[in-house]
Amino acid sequence: MNAGRKALLALAVPVLLVAAWWLATAGAASFFWPPLSEILAAFADTWFSARFVTDVLPSLGRLLAGYLGAVVAGVALGTAVGSSRTLRGLLEPVLEFFRAIPSPVLVPILMLFAGIGDGMKILVIVSGCVWPVLLNTVEGVRALDEVLSDTARSYRMRRRSRLVHLVLRGAGPQIAAGARQALSIGIILMVISEMFAASNGLGFTIIQFQRSFAIPQMWSGIILLGLVGIALSMAFRAVEARLLRWYTGLRTAQREG
Amino acid sequence: MTAATLGRRSPPPAWLLGLAGLAGLVGIVELAPRAGLVDGRYLPPFSAMAAALAEQAATAEFWQSLLETLRGWATGLAIAMVAGVALGLVIGGVPPLRAALNSTIEFLRPIPSVALIPLAVLLFGTDMRSTLLLVVYASFWQVLLQVLYGVRDVDPVARETARSYRFRPLTQVRTVTWPTALPYVMTGFRLGAAVALILEITGELIIGSPGLGRQIAVAQTSGAVASMYALVIVVGLIGVTVNVAARATERRALRWHPSIRRDLAG
């Protein structure tokens, strides 16, 4: 299949769907399903304005801070727990329990401790995102090739370089899988923490629109959230492809060989 | 082995360590507020949470909420499973359809499910259906993607063989596609079960549809901190149960599969 046909095939259904949405709502009088043209007009008015600075950027900033904090904490703790059998035995049930608590219920708890400021929201995002990263890192570190770690030890590789070249690299694919799960959790928590208690941000604004029955604006907010989700997932894929190039290369070579 | 040569005792069994870890956590939660390390108004001692839980367990409202939560979770998961498996088999089994829909699926999947909250509230109010919409949407993608991976994993030789023997489409699905896809379907089930619970509780918490999530929100706004923690613990225990049960179901359904057989032998 040549590239042109591939692109056509990939675009055909989305274009059809959007066209169907456009046509279905064009003449519609339904209050809840405004015409797509109206939504798009509202989108430009609503988000390409001061709101972008007052609502969208703070949301993204909190998400980024919380997410990066969770990845760093998850990898650090996961490496520690994964390399020590005793620690793992001690903490495994505790970790299972915390992972099983749906992270949104942490919002009311963390509100007690951290108020309703930015700190609370970042904390909520960290405390939700950290589990998939942590548990996947533990699994990844545990599954390291024993021959490799023995070799590293007998060559007396230093702790630091062993950590960087052997442990983190070997566990990399697993860590990436955890970080990917954490990303969607992060977006969800960002929105929820803002829906619960905030004075700005995407979640807050969208709920305000819904409560004031600004329906086209609300729809434009939903679309914006969708676009944010898609953009972040694409950015993640780009970063992952770069960091794990050795791994994807290995996999393709193995599959072809 | 090194422990034995050094003359030390072998490490304690995993369950004992795990129990010690849990006991340690309970101990910390009990002692930290009593010792004044954290504010008791924010984190009451564990005994206060346990007392609040006992109090809750005596009310009909608690059990009603628990039932509502479990019912919403099970209904949403069931709908998502049926839709995800059916669509996954169809889309995965027809290559042109798959190629055409690929971009759409990749596009729709990362849309955060909570983006639908305002829409759900407009359509259904604080009804249980609002939450159900979120639950189905979120867990549907988990199942669908796994089924698509599973269908792609079917051995081409087996598929061609079935085709040249002119198996009927349904027979082909049953004898060739389904056994290959089943492990993936079960992974989708496990992931979907966890996601469905998260969204069920989230919906109750934010939208206010009936269930344990709403009880947590009520306890929080009325300042019943110990009750709130007690309910969060209950939700966590449900989560653990769901995870364990999903994993057990997976092992049972795949007992014949090499990956599980090897696991059991080892």
Side-chain angles (χ1 to χ4, degrees), chain B residues 180-196:
Chain B
T180 316
L182 190 59
Y184 293 86
V185 173
M186 293 316 292
T187 310
F189 170 69
R190 187 158 48 79
L191 297 174
V195 168

mmCIF file of all heavy atoms in Angstrom, chain B residues 180-196:
data_model
loop_
_atom_site.group_PDB
_atom_site.id
_atom_site.type_symbol
_atom_site.label_atom_id
_atom_site.label_comp_id
_atom_site.label_asym_id
_atom_site.label_seq_id
_atom_site.Cartn_x
_atom_site.Cartn_y
_atom_site.Cartn_z
ATOM 1 N N THR B 180 -6.481 -17.740 20.371
ATOM 2 C CA THR B 180 -5.312 -16.858 20.383
ATOM 3 C C THR B 180 -5.617 -15.572 21.122
ATOM 4 O O THR B 180 -4.782 -15.042 21.851
ATOM 5 C CB THR B 180 -4.893 -16.504 18.947
ATOM 6 O OG1 THR B 180 -4.928 -17.672 18.160
ATOM 7 C CG2 THR B 180 -3.515 -15.894 18.914
ATOM 8 N N ALA B 181 -6.831 -15.072 20.911
ATOM 9 C CA ALA B 181 -7.160 -13.761 21.462
ATOM 10 C C ALA B 181 -7.516 -13.832 22.945
ATOM 11 O O ALA B 181 -7.424 -12.829 23.645
ATOM 12 C CB ALA B 181 -8.321 -13.143 20.679
ATOM 13 N N LEU B 182 -7.897 -15.029 23.423
ATOM 14 C CA LEU B 182 -8.420 -15.116 24.796
ATOM 15 C C LEU B 182 -7.473 -14.555 25.863
ATOM 16 O O LEU B 182 -7.922 -13.795 26.728
ATOM 17 C CB LEU B 182 -8.822 -16.560 25.119
ATOM 18 C CG LEU B 182 -9.599 -16.716 26.427
ATOM 19 C CD1 LEU B 182 -10.879 -15.893 26.383
ATOM 20 C CD2 LEU B 182 -9.933 -18.172 26.698
ATOM 21 N N PRO B 183 -6.169 -14.880 25.817
ATOM 22 C CA PRO B 183 -5.298 -14.279 26.839
ATOM 23 C C PRO B 183 -5.348 -12.752 26.812
ATOM 24 O O PRO B 183 -5.349 -12.110 27.865
ATOM 25 C CB PRO B 183 -3.903 -14.771 26.453
ATOM 26 C CG PRO B 183 -4.131 -15.984 25.645
ATOM 27 C CD PRO B 183 -5.440 -15.811 24.953
ATOM 28 N N TYR B 184 -5.417 -12.172 25.620
ATOM 29 C CA TYR B 184 -5.490 -10.720 25.514
ATOM 30 C C TYR B 184 -6.824 -10.217 26.046
ATOM 31 O O TYR B 184 -6.894 -9.180 26.698
ATOM 32 C CB TYR B 184 -5.314 -10.289 24.058
ATOM 33 C CG TYR B 184 -3.949 -10.544 23.509
ATOM 34 C CD1 TYR B 184 -3.628 -11.771 22.957
ATOM 35 C CD2 TYR B 184 -2.979 -9.560 23.538
ATOM 36 C CE1 TYR B 184 -2.365 -12.019 22.445
ATOM 37 C CE2 TYR B 184 -1.718 -9.788 23.021
ATOM 38 C CZ TYR B 184 -1.419 -11.019 22.484
ATOM 39 O OH TYR B 184 -0.165 -11.258 21.982
ATOM 40 N N VAL B 185 -7.893 -10.968 25.730
ATOM 41 C CA VAL B 185 -9.217 -10.581 26.236
ATOM 42 C C VAL B 185 -9.200 -10.562 27.758
ATOM 43 O O VAL B 185 -9.729 -9.637 28.394
ATOM 44 C CB VAL B 185 -10.302 -11.559 25.737
ATOM 45 C CG1 VAL B 185 -11.643 -11.257 26.388
ATOM 46 C CG2 VAL B 185 -10.431 -11.487 24.227
ATOM 47 N N MET B 186 -8.529 -11.559 28.338
ATOM 48 C CA MET B 186 -8.504 -11.618 29.797
ATOM 49 C C MET B 186 -7.676 -10.468 30.381
ATOM 50 O O MET B 186 -8.012 -9.924 31.427
ATOM 51 C CB MET B 186 -7.944 -12.962 30.277
ATOM 52 C CG MET B 186 -8.818 -14.165 29.961
ATOM 53 S SD MET B 186 -10.573 -13.913 30.280
ATOM 54 C CE MET B 186 -10.588 -13.808 32.045
ATOM 55 N N THR B 187 -6.589 -10.101 29.697
ATOM 56 C CA THR B 187 -5.830 -8.932 30.146
ATOM 57 C C THR B 187 -6.721 -7.699 30.087
ATOM 58 O O THR B 187 -6.738 -6.877 31.010
ATOM 59 C CB THR B 187 -4.590 -8.709 29.265
ATOM 60 O OG1 THR B 187 -3.895 -9.931 29.172
ATOM 61 C CG2 THR B 187 -3.693 -7.644 29.846
ATOM 62 N N GLY B 188 -7.481 -7.588 28.980
ATOM 63 C CA GLY B 188 -8.403 -6.463 28.857
ATOM 64 C C GLY B 188 -9.420 -6.466 29.976
ATOM 65 O O GLY B 188 -9.763 -5.414 30.536
ATOM 66 N N PHE B 189 -9.895 -7.643 30.344
ATOM 67 C CA PHE B 189 -10.857 -7.770 31.438
ATOM 68 C C PHE B 189 -10.249 -7.279 32.750
ATOM 69 O O PHE B 189 -10.865 -6.524 33.493
ATOM 70 C CB PHE B 189 -11.287 -9.235 31.553
ATOM 71 C CG PHE B 189 -12.083 -9.557 32.789
ATOM 72 C CD1 PHE B 189 -13.366 -9.074 32.937
ATOM 73 C CD2 PHE B 189 -11.533 -10.327 33.801
ATOM 74 C CE1 PHE B 189 -14.100 -9.358 34.074
ATOM 75 C CE2 PHE B 189 -12.256 -10.614 34.942
ATOM 76 C CZ PHE B 189 -13.540 -10.129 35.079
ATOM 77 N N ARG B 190 -8.999 -7.698 32.992
ATOM 78 C CA ARG B 190 -8.342 -7.314 34.244
ATOM 79 C C ARG B 190 -8.145 -5.794 34.299
ATOM 80 O O ARG B 190 -8.484 -5.153 35.298
ATOM 81 C CB ARG B 190 -6.998 -8.043 34.333
ATOM 82 C CG ARG B 190 -6.276 -7.882 35.622
ATOM 83 C CD ARG B 190 -5.284 -9.026 35.842
ATOM 84 N NE ARG B 190 -4.435 -9.308 34.698
ATOM 85 C CZ ARG B 190 -3.360 -8.599 34.377
ATOM 86 N NH1 ARG B 190 -3.006 -7.576 35.110
ATOM 87 N NH2 ARG B 190 -2.622 -8.913 33.325
ATOM 88 N N LEU B 191 -7.617 -5.235 33.208
ATOM 89 C CA LEU B 191 -7.414 -3.774 33.179
ATOM 90 C C LEU B 191 -8.744 -3.050 33.262
ATOM 91 O O LEU B 191 -8.907 -2.079 34.002
ATOM 92 C CB LEU B 191 -6.691 -3.367 31.893
ATOM 93 C CG LEU B 191 -5.280 -3.902 31.693
ATOM 94 C CD1 LEU B 191 -4.765 -3.535 30.316
ATOM 95 C CD2 LEU B 191 -4.363 -3.349 32.760
ATOM 96 N N GLY B 192 -9.722 -3.552 32.486
ATOM 97 C CA GLY B 192 -11.031 -2.901 32.450
ATOM 98 C C GLY B 192 -11.708 -2.924 33.809
ATOM 99 O O GLY B 192 -12.349 -1.948 34.209
ATOM 100 N N ALA B 193 -11.550 -4.031 34.548
ATOM 101 C CA ALA B 193 -12.186 -4.127 35.857
ATOM 102 C C ALA B 193 -11.659 -3.046 36.792
ATOM 103 O O ALA B 193 -12.425 -2.387 37.504
ATOM 104 C CB ALA B 193 -11.948 -5.516 36.452
ATOM 105 N N ALA B 194 -10.343 -2.843 36.761
ATOM 106 C CA ALA B 194 -9.757 -1.822 37.640
ATOM 107 C C ALA B 194 -10.191 -0.427 37.212
ATOM 108 O O ALA B 194 -10.597 0.395 38.045
ATOM 109 C CB ALA B 194 -8.227 -1.936 37.617
ATOM 110 N N VAL B 195 -10.147 -0.163 35.908
ATOM 111 C CA VAL B 195 -10.519 1.160 35.411
ATOM 112 C C VAL B 195 -12.005 1.435 35.690
ATOM 113 O O VAL B 195 -12.373 2.549 36.086
ATOM 114 C CB VAL B 195 -10.209 1.261 33.902
ATOM 115 C CG1 VAL B 195 -10.848 2.491 33.302
ATOM 116 C CG2 VAL B 195 -8.717 1.296 33.685
ATOM 117 N N ALA B 196 -12.830 0.416 35.514
ATOM 118 C CA ALA B 196 -14.264 0.601 35.749
ATOM 119 C C ALA B 196 -14.514 1.004 37.191
ATOM 120 O O ALA B 196 -15.337 1.889 37.467
ATOM 121 C CB ALA B 196 -15.023 -0.683 35.415
#
